[in-house]
Amino acid sequence: MGTDQTGKPSPSDETRPAKEGPVPSPAIRRLCLYLRELEGFLVQDRHTVSSKQLGQMLGLTDAQVRKDLAYFGQFGYPGVGYRVEELIARIRSILGTDRTWNAVLLGAGNLGRALLSYRGFFKKGFRIVAAIDCDAHRIGEQVGMTPGLRVLPLERLAEVIAQYDVQIAILCVPADAAQSLADRLVPLGIMGILNFAPVAINVPETVSVTSVDLAVHFEQLAFRISARQVAQEHGG
Amino acid sequence: MGTDQTGKPSPSDETRPAKEGPVPSPAIRRLCLYLRELEGFLVQDRHTVSSKQLGQMLGLTDAQVRKDLAYFGQFGYPGVGYRVEELIARIRSILGTDRTWNAVLLGAGNLGRALLSYRGFFKKGFRIVAAIDCDAHRIGEQVGMTPGLRVLPLERLAEVIAQYDVQIAILCVPADAAQSLADRLVPLGIMGILNFAPVAINVPETVSVTSVDLAVHFEQLAFRISARQVAQEHGG
DNA sequence: GCTTGTGAAACGTTTCACAGCA
DNA sequence: TGCTGTGAAACGTTTCACAAGC
């Protein structure tokens, strides 16, 4: 894997991208979790952490942690571990969360309003700059924590995206509205869609989509519980 | 370890299908998506579907769909495809959603209330039978759609779990409250925890945990967008 | 002692290719 | 023809084991 062209062993070189080769997508998911744990470490005034400690908190092996980080460079110190602040900065840079991202929320129903009120996104650098709904009853309602934030009609979508340089759309609409909204978002220059509608949406390859179907998580849990029960019956 | 908070390919997910051998955990996730698409098919009065059609709707190959289903037996018809009603029944049986599951929700904040109001879970057979919070201001508040459902104090947790035969707990509490609540749930006989708190929780192997960290999904989307932008710059 | 980074081996998952059937 | 089910090959990911460094 070490296609570090010349094999130059300088430990602190590239801030940005990575070495050659694709990064396992499970590694990306874990990177987010490492970051979460590291941020917790900072609060506890711990300034170094080993791959073993970090892995243990998430049920992973130390080798897994090291490999994941190694895809993006070398930033550990043998015999010491990783410096928490430095690793946080590196992971944020890798994930692209060392900048702020502006998002527009579509669908000010129960879930949409819950997301608008969640402070965690703000801390991570995500700003929901507008909420949009096509239900006339909801328009003008104040939502979220930002005092001035009110629900806007769908007609103002283009204006809002342009005005705030919005890159991300959060879809919290019913399943039957998701695709037509996605079709509307694409030509407006949106770069990514976080889709909470329980349906697959189709967009050009230039747009990234991440889907979160809450019912699917319930079902997966049901399966795990059922499988465990079956295993117990078989085992004794 | 019965938890999948990390995306670790849990080889310990001892799934006992019709045949021998473990089932890839990605296959389980896809099974939920197949079910979702199939339910949509029923509404459109389509009664058979091929692996190719099903895969196309989700961006998967036909071989993938067939393999996933084949882990649990053979229920397709060569030359025809799969019968929609039959396949729905089979997948529900596999996932354990051919029965109803009772859940208690802990933390009646914004997200908790949003989940209480979402009809999709009910349709899938999940019943949130009680909402619990330790904030005195919230106790007694009416939540969700069920007219009688009110927020109960934490003291009534054991009573509620026993009375309704609750198997699943939905954690919608702040990160710092999640672990202590999990510790409290385990001896009460809960079988699975759906954890929306942005922290890893530790429970005995007898309890299944599925974690959903909404901020992590934002971060993953940010990474995907950033990666695409970098790729475009390199490509031209 | 402790740690990281990393080839190589082991393991898991997906894709391929085709026999068999309607 | 069109489809499923499936062994085998290809590919992706994780774990192992250890050299090198603090």
Side-chain angles (χ1 to χ4, degrees):
Chain A
M1 176 119 337
T3 33
D4 182 15
Q5 289 94 12
T6 54
K8 188 189 168 200
S10 67
S12 52
D13 41 2
E14 306 278 347
T15 311
R16 251 303 176 177
K19 324 183 156 191
E20 267 318 298
V23 178
S25 46
I28 303 302
R29 194 166 348 120
R30 288 190 299 263
L31 231 46
C32 301
L33 300 180
Y34 300 151
L35 181 56
R36 199 180 67 182
E37 299 301 323
L38 288 165
E39 284 165 347
F41 260 111
L42 257 202
V43 177
Q44 295 161 45
D45 242 0
R46 294 269 282 108
H47 294 267
T48 67
V49 64
S50 71
S51 57
K52 191 171 182 184
Q53 293 171 316
L54 199 46
Q56 223 156 340
M57 304 181 74
L58 294 163
L60 304 168
T61 65
D62 53 337
Q64 177 87 84
V65 174
R66 291 199 301 276
K67 254 298 199 263
D68 286 345
L69 297 176
Y71 286 118
F72 299 96
Q74 343 190 141
F75 19 88
Y77 301 87
V80 179
Y82 301 88
R83 298 214 217 283
V84 174
E85 287 92 337
E86 186 187 344
L87 194 49
I88 288 175
R90 294 292 196 114
I91 295 180
R92 282 194 184 139
S93 160
I94 292 162
L95 295 176
T97 54
D98 53 349
R99 43 168 292 197
T100 63
W101 294 84
N102 291 334
V104 59
L105 185 137
L106 294 121
N110 293 300
L111 180 60
R113 279 199 284 249
L115 297 181
L116 280 160
S117 303
Y118 182 48
R119 281 181 184 77
F121 305 142
F122 190 91
K123 283 183 206 148
K124 294 273 186 181
F126 296 94
R127 304 288 131 88
I128 303 180
V129 297
I132 286 190
D133 204 294
C134 55
D135 183 343
H137 294 100
R138 287 181 184 150
I139 289 162
E141 268 183 29
Q142 189 173 314
V143 286
M145 312 147 293
T146 318
L149 200 59
R150 293 189 136 76
V151 177
L152 302 176
L154 187 53
E155 291 75 42
R156 300 194 50 192
L157 180 62
E159 171 198 333
V160 155
I161 288 174
Q163 184 183 341
Y164 293 100
D165 190 27
V166 168
Q167 296 104 353
I168 292 175
I170 306 165
L171 274 189
C172 296
V173 299
D176 53 20
Q179 184 62 58
S180 71
L181 263 179
D183 293 341
R184 212 167 150 156
L185 285 162
V186 170
L188 296 175
I190 222 78
M191 316 212 61
I193 297 176
L194 193 47
N195 176 34
F196 287 92
V199 67
I201 60 174
N202 233 303
V203 294
E205 287 202 358
T206 50
V207 178
S208 302
V209 177
T210 297
S211 286
V212 184
D213 186 331
L214 296 177
V216 163
H217 291 283
F218 274 83
E219 290 174 325
Q220 290 187 152
L221 186 59
F223 172 80
R224 310 266 278 303
I225 296 173
S226 303
R228 198 185 295 285
Q229 285 173 342
V230 170
Q232 274 179 354
E233 283 161 24
H234 277 245
Chain B
M1 147 108 39
T3 66
D4 187 17
Q5 313 175 38
T6 54
K8 183 171 105 182
S10 21
S12 44
D13 265 24
E14 291 287 339
T15 27
R16 299 284 168 164
K19 324 186 155 191
E20 263 322 295
V23 178
S25 44
I28 303 302
R29 192 173 349 117
R30 289 189 299 264
L31 230 46
C32 301
L33 300 180
Y34 300 152
L35 180 55
R36 200 181 66 183
E37 297 303 323
L38 288 164
E39 284 165 347
F41 260 111
L42 257 201
V43 177
Q44 294 162 43
D45 243 0
R46 294 269 283 109
H47 294 267
T48 66
V49 64
S50 71
S51 57
K52 191 171 183 183
Q53 292 171 316
L54 200 45
Q56 224 155 340
M57 304 182 74
L58 294 162
L60 304 168
T61 65
D62 53 338
Q64 177 88 85
V65 175
R66 292 199 301 277
K67 250 305 196 257
D68 286 345
L69 298 176
Y71 286 117
F72 299 96
Q74 343 190 143
F75 20 88
Y77 301 87
V80 179
Y82 300 87
R83 297 212 216 286
V84 174
E85 288 92 337
E86 186 187 343
L87 194 49
I88 287 175
R90 298 300 282 270
I91 296 180
R92 282 194 184 141
S93 160
I94 292 162
L95 295 177
T97 53
D98 53 349
R99 43 168 292 197
T100 64
W101 294 83
N102 291 334
V104 58
L105 185 137
L106 294 121
N110 293 299
L111 180 60
R113 279 199 284 250
L115 297 180
L116 280 160
S117 304
Y118 182 47
R119 282 180 184 79
F121 305 143
F122 190 91
K123 282 182 206 148
K124 294 274 187 179
F126 297 95
R127 305 288 131 87
I128 303 181
V129 297
I132 286 191
D133 204 293
C134 56
D135 184 341
H137 294 99
R138 286 180 184 150
I139 289 162
E141 268 183 29
Q142 190 173 315
V143 286
M145 311 146 294
T146 319
L149 200 59
R150 292 190 136 77
V151 178
L152 303 175
L154 187 53
E155 291 75 43
R156 299 195 50 191
L157 179 61
E159 172 199 332
V160 155
I161 288 175
Q163 184 183 343
Y164 292 101
D165 190 27
V166 168
Q167 295 105 353
I168 293 174
I170 306 164
L171 274 189
C172 297
V173 298
D176 53 21
Q179 184 62 58
S180 70
L181 264 179
D183 293 341
R184 209 164 151 158
L185 285 162
V186 170
L188 297 174
I190 221 80
M191 315 210 62
I193 297 176
L194 194 47
N195 176 35
F196 287 92
V199 67
I201 60 174
N202 232 303
V203 293
E205 287 202 358
T206 50
V207 177
S208 301
V209 176
T210 297
S211 285
V212 184
D213 186 331
L214 296 177
V216 164
H217 291 283
F218 274 83
E219 289 174 325
Q220 289 185 155
L221 185 59
F223 173 80
R224 309 252 297 275
I225 295 173
S226 303
R228 199 186 295 285
Q229 285 173 342
V230 170
Q232 273 179 355
E233 282 161 24
H234 277 246

